[in-house]
Amino acid sequence: MNTILVIALILAMIATLVALIRGIVAFLQTTKEELNLPEGAVRPSSLKQNKMMMNRILFQAAAIIIVAILLMAKGHG
């Protein structure tokens, strides 16, 4: 059981890192034209940034939950 949780933890950490990098890349690809759009206009890069950062938060939460489960299992074992 612990082996499966450790593998899941590693995968969650890798997914967090990938989502973070993709979000930063989306941020860096913001063009001057997008920045000059009128207030309230939907920017494609902003949507991608938000999506990647939400994914990062979800993957981080999953990693924290897995760590908590591992710690509880260690305390009972």
Side-chain angles (χ1 to χ4, degrees), residues 2-75:
N2 282 348
T3 305
I4 295 171
L5 287 174
V6 169
I7 292 170
L9 177 61
I10 292 169
L11 292 175
M13 290 188 297
I14 291 170
T16 301
L17 182 62
V18 169
L20 175 64
I21 291 171
R22 288 185 68 189
I24 291 172
V25 168
F27 176 74
L28 293 174
Q29 291 177 341
T30 303
T31 62
K32 188 178 261 189
E33 291 81 26
E34 286 182 342
L35 293 175
N36 291 332
L37 287 175
E39 193 67 32
V42 177
R43 298 179 180 116
S45 65
S46 295
L47 293 175
K48 186 170 182 178
Q49 291 172 35
N50 288 342
K51 181 181 174 189
M52 288 300 106
M53 291 302 125
M54 283 302 297
N55 286 342
R56 179 187 56 84
I57 291 168
L58 291 173
F59 293 136
Q60 280 181 314
I64 290 170
I65 290 169
I66 293 169
V67 168
I69 292 170
L70 282 169
L71 288 173
M72 288 190 310
K74 185 176 181 178

